[in-house]
Amino acid sequence: MANNDELFKKIVAHAKEYGFIFPSSEIYDGLSAVYDYGQLGVELKNNIKQYWWKSMVQLHENIVGIDSAIFMHPTIWKASGHVDAFNDPLIDNKDSKKRYRADVLIEDYIQKIEDKIGKEVEKASKRFENFDEAMYRQTNARVLEYQAKIDEVRSRFVQAMNDNNLPAIKTLIEDLGIVCPVSGTRNWTDVRQFNLMFSTQMGSTAEGTDTIYLRPETAQGIFVNFLNVQKSGRMKIPFGIAQIGKAFRNEIIARQFIFRMREFEQMEMQFFVRPGEELKWFEYWKAERMKWHQSLGISAQKYRYHDHEKLAHYANAATDIEYDFPFGFKELEGIHSRTDFDLTAHQNYSGRKMQYYDPEQGESYVPYVVETSVGLDRTLLAIISDAYQEEKLEDGSIRVVMNLPAFLAPYKVAVLPLVKKDGMPEKARQILSDLQEDYNCQYDEKDAIGRRYRRQDAIGTPYCITVDNQTMEDNTVTIRIRTTMQQERISLDNVSKRIAELLKESRIVK
Ligand code: ATP
């Protein structure tokens, strides 16, 4: 764990040093849980968006995209349940004045017991040959005791949450003797519900203003446009509507860099299906979305599903795709079978019919919906966490390299004249201007060539083209491949074609 903490710190520092991600408003000491994407971060983010859009929208005949406004009619959030139920329970420690999510304090407590079980299992596995872990977990007295404690805490917690019984949550925290990690005391305030939506005023006069919300998810913009898109696009069920956009949540505690932010981006797709067919489509999208993540070149072991036992009020099936971040497995994407909850709610609140006439069945109905909702920032964090590597080279030196999938890398090619004379810069700039039409390229003539290669390694540029003395004689250049550091010499006429080939090869599903 300590190593992973160290690694995570390095990734955050690297992201800043090379212009991927900066803390927001840094010269004013930052704004908590808000980040800015720098010159490289924005390129990487755009490439991820394009890749998602291509695979979800453009490669599906029956999925189209929209871009709805962030501001929406306030009643939408009443209908969706966000005004009444988009809450987290919060608690303050009176001594440290620090604020916590009560549910997270309890989850952390449970995690500690789980870690203890993990240690027991690990110890036993070393002690016994042919160790049967499942059997050990079912029979070892100490493990059973720990597990009973976990079950008891969970059941009291779930009961209290279901009953919205905030005093019972406080009592649980007190009974468990949970202390504030900062002050070390148990001097807690009462637990309160805290709505995560940001609100603001719309309108220019005090009397005529309306409270509106910054959307906490992009999905509702899709639901309220469902009939507009269906009719104008003559869409037939099953079909999907996708959207990429900003969402805002006033998260109580924001931790772990861009994992939990107050302003972030989602890539969502709502798939409208016949009632009764939703679970079939849920399974379909569950598998498809896992394939998508693995197509980023990240190994399958880094992902897992987490099926929900306790379902949200709108869902009849739900799973998360989790990624093994440096701080552990955490949610990256949610896939939910949302039933007809949202469309029916909008029908009731707006008084407009939200129905689809199914020509094959000869009847009208409110479609059911399967949602895939992935955080763009969390996807980017998964990609850079996977890509960041420190390699020990033969000469003993360390190479920091971002092994980004080539098709997502901010720059595809760097063009480098070996020296700043003998016509090499001019030649290199000529190559650059030819390649720029098709690829995002960088030109660099400063410092020794080895240092320039390292700079490109550090930002993940997959291919470096070097103009040297031989280029001036026979119009050939070298292409250096980031991952292997190998070089090949090819004729200038073939450069663009070769890069296209290499980029295509880089899209391998692992
Ligand atoms: P969590 O349990 O981590 O708060 P959630 O279950 O509330 O997430 P959803 O409402 O399902 O998340 O949102 C879909 C996706 O949006 C998440 O899987 C995640 O990738 C992303 N997301 C949600 N909240 C944030 C946030 N505060 N910062 C960055 N990404 C987020």
Side-chain angles (χ1 to χ4, degrees):
M1 202 55 190
N3 277 344
N4 280 350
D5 279 354
E6 215 36 55
L7 170 70
F8 189 46
K9 278 192 198 132
K10 281 186 182 167
I11 292 168
V12 175
H14 189 87
K16 179 164 182 241
E17 185 183 346
Y18 286 92
F20 284 90
I21 300 160
F22 308 125
S24 159
S25 322
E26 202 186 1
I27 57 168
Y28 292 95
D29 294 332
L31 184 64
S32 163
V34 186
Y35 288 89
D36 296 337
Y37 284 86
Q39 65 278 20
L40 290 182
V42 69
E43 296 287 348
L44 177 56
K45 196 168 158 186
N46 283 341
N47 291 344
I48 299 170
K49 283 194 223 184
Q50 272 169 21
Y51 181 58
W52 184 88
W53 194 261
K54 176 107 204 154
S55 55
M56 293 297 281
V57 179
Q58 295 174 345
L59 292 178
H60 284 97
E61 257 177 59
N62 59 346
I63 302 182
V64 292
I66 61 165
D67 182 18
S68 70
I70 287 170
F71 293 151
M72 298 201 280
H73 195 287
T75 309
I76 288 173
W77 303 111
K78 190 80 192 145
S80 67
H82 283 82
V83 171
D84 296 319
F86 195 52
N87 299 321
D88 278 339
L90 70 80
I91 189 165
D92 294 305
N93 182 270
K94 290 185 200 158
D95 299 320
S96 67
K97 309 268 182 286
K98 290 276 172 206
R99 176 159 289 177
Y100 299 93
R101 259 172 71 176
D103 55 328
V104 171
L105 287 180
I106 294 167
E107 284 299 336
D108 285 351
Y109 180 90
I110 292 175
Q111 184 61 48
K112 280 195 191 125
I113 310 182
E114 275 170 357
D115 291 347
K116 283 185 189 162
I117 296 182
K119 280 206 184 104
E120 291 292 329
V121 172
E122 200 188 316
K123 262 198 296 182
S125 72
K126 286 186 186 142
R127 228 177 316 129
F128 304 114
E129 247 174 74
N130 303 326
F131 178 62
D132 181 344
E133 183 177 330
M135 176 69 90
Y136 183 78
R137 280 177 182 270
Q138 279 162 23
T139 51
N140 178 271
R142 191 168 293 165
V143 170
L144 287 175
E145 207 178 292
Y146 286 143
Q147 192 55 51
K149 181 76 189 165
I150 291 176
D151 295 345
E152 182 212 321
V153 174
R154 262 229 171 94
S155 116
R156 280 180 69 183
F157 174 55
V158 169
Q159 183 73 39
M161 289 294 275
N162 284 345
D163 299 346
N164 200 16
N165 186 348
L166 302 180
I169 297 177
K170 183 178 179 189
T171 310
L172 181 57
I173 289 175
E174 285 170 342
D175 288 354
L176 298 176
I178 295 176
V179 298
C180 164
V182 176
S183 66
T185 71
R186 299 175 193 177
N187 197 3
W188 297 110
T189 62
D190 287 342
V191 178
R192 282 174 295 143
Q193 285 290 17
F194 177 77
N195 193 289
L196 299 185
M197 282 197 295
F198 284 98
S199 61
T200 186
Q201 306 300 316
M202 187 176 234
S204 54
T205 58
E207 308 88 69
T209 54
D210 247 334
T211 296
I212 55 164
Y213 301 99
L214 298 187
R215 64 180 179 201
E217 62 177 24
T218 58
Q220 298 303 325
I222 295 179
F223 293 129
V224 297
N225 278 299
F226 156 69
L227 278 184
N228 281 338
V229 174
Q230 190 270 319
K231 291 200 166 122
S232 59
R234 303 195 352 258
M235 308 299 291
K236 284 212 173 67
I237 269 178
F239 73 90
I241 306 177
Q243 159 151 249
I244 300 177
K246 288 260 169 144
F248 305 84
R249 296 183 187 178
N250 201 359
E251 301 279 2
I252 296 170
I253 34 160
R255 289 191 292 204
Q256 290 149 339
F257 195 37
I258 57 169
F259 179 81
R260 188 174 301 286
M261 293 195 287
R262 298 203 163 101
E263 173 179 343
F264 58 98
E265 259 181 285
Q266 291 183 314
M267 305 190 284
E268 295 198 306
M269 194 276 298
Q270 311 294 326
F271 200 67
F272 300 90
V273 305
R274 277 188 190 146
E277 294 193 353
E278 71 277 8
L279 293 179
K280 177 184 92 182
W281 284 110
F282 172 76
E283 290 303 328
Y284 173 83
W285 283 112
K286 192 174 153 179
E288 279 299 296
R289 293 302 304 148
M290 185 60 103
K291 272 193 230 154
W292 185 86
H293 287 287
Q294 288 171 15
S295 77
L296 300 174
I298 298 176
S299 100
Q301 282 94 335
K302 290 287 217 171
Y303 296 99
R304 72 179 186 199
Y305 291 114
H306 170 233
D307 294 330
H308 291 206
E309 284 154 30
K310 182 177 176 288
L311 295 168
H313 57 286
Y314 53 76
N316 68 358
T319 196
D320 296 335
I321 294 179
E322 295 186 338
Y323 174 77
D324 189 7
F325 288 99
F327 39 85
F329 272 101
K330 290 269 160 26
E331 173 176 343
L332 182 59
E333 169 152 10
I335 297 149
H336 309 119
S337 171
R338 291 182 78 125
T339 67
D340 59 350
F341 173 84
D342 302 270
L343 291 180
T344 302
H346 289 307
Q347 184 166 276
N348 293 340
Y349 274 84
S350 68
R352 307 283 172 89
K353 275 220 155 71
M354 299 297 277
Q355 297 195 345
Y356 167 80
Y357 175 73
D358 191 325
E360 281 168 37
Q361 299 202 324
E363 57 168 359
S364 294
Y365 51 77
V366 177
Y368 273 47
V369 175
V370 174
E371 162 182 84
T372 71
S373 173
V374 59
L376 173 55
D377 312 272
R378 286 190 193 177
T379 305
L380 188 139
L381 182 58
I383 290 170
I384 60 174
S385 304
D386 191 74
Y388 180 89
Q389 266 150 33
E390 292 175 5
E391 281 178 10
K392 192 155 192 198
L393 301 182
E394 273 171 16
D395 65 4
S397 65
I398 300 288
R399 170 171 94 126
V400 174
V401 55
M402 290 281 261
N403 270 319
L404 295 168
F407 67 97
L408 294 180
Y411 291 108
K412 302 289 178 268
V413 183
V415 186
L416 317 169
L418 186 64
V419 289
K420 258 193 286 182
K421 57 181 187 185
D422 302 334
M424 287 183 213
E426 293 74 16
K427 188 85 184 168
R429 285 205 179 274
Q430 218 179 341
I431 298 171
L432 178 78
S433 84
D434 287 348
L435 289 176
Q436 267 170 336
E437 289 280 323
D438 297 315
Y439 309 108
N440 195 25
C441 302
Q442 203 173 50
Y443 177 83
D444 189 4
E445 58 178 24
K446 226 170 147 206
D447 298 325
I449 192 74
R451 287 186 65 180
R452 279 182 274 164
Y453 285 149
R454 288 299 151 78
R455 274 206 291 269
Q456 296 303 327
D457 289 341
I459 63 172
T461 309
Y463 315 116
C464 287
I465 300 214
T466 307
V467 171
D468 55 16
N469 290 318
Q470 199 176 324
T471 313
M472 309 312 288
E473 285 161 20
D474 65 4
N475 256 349
T476 61
V477 287
T478 60
I479 294 194
R480 173 188 182 269
I481 316 282
R482 176 200 66 205
T483 322
T484 58
M485 293 195 288
Q486 274 172 359
Q487 300 189 18
E488 54 189 63
R489 184 165 280 280
I490 57 168
S491 146
L492 257 185
D493 301 338
N494 289 334
V495 169
S496 187
K497 205 172 121 229
R498 182 71 186 126
I499 287 169
E501 250 169 42
L502 288 166
L503 275 172
K504 207 160 176 208
E505 279 168 23
S506 80
R507 286 176 173 244
I508 300 168
V509 181
K510 275 192 199 152

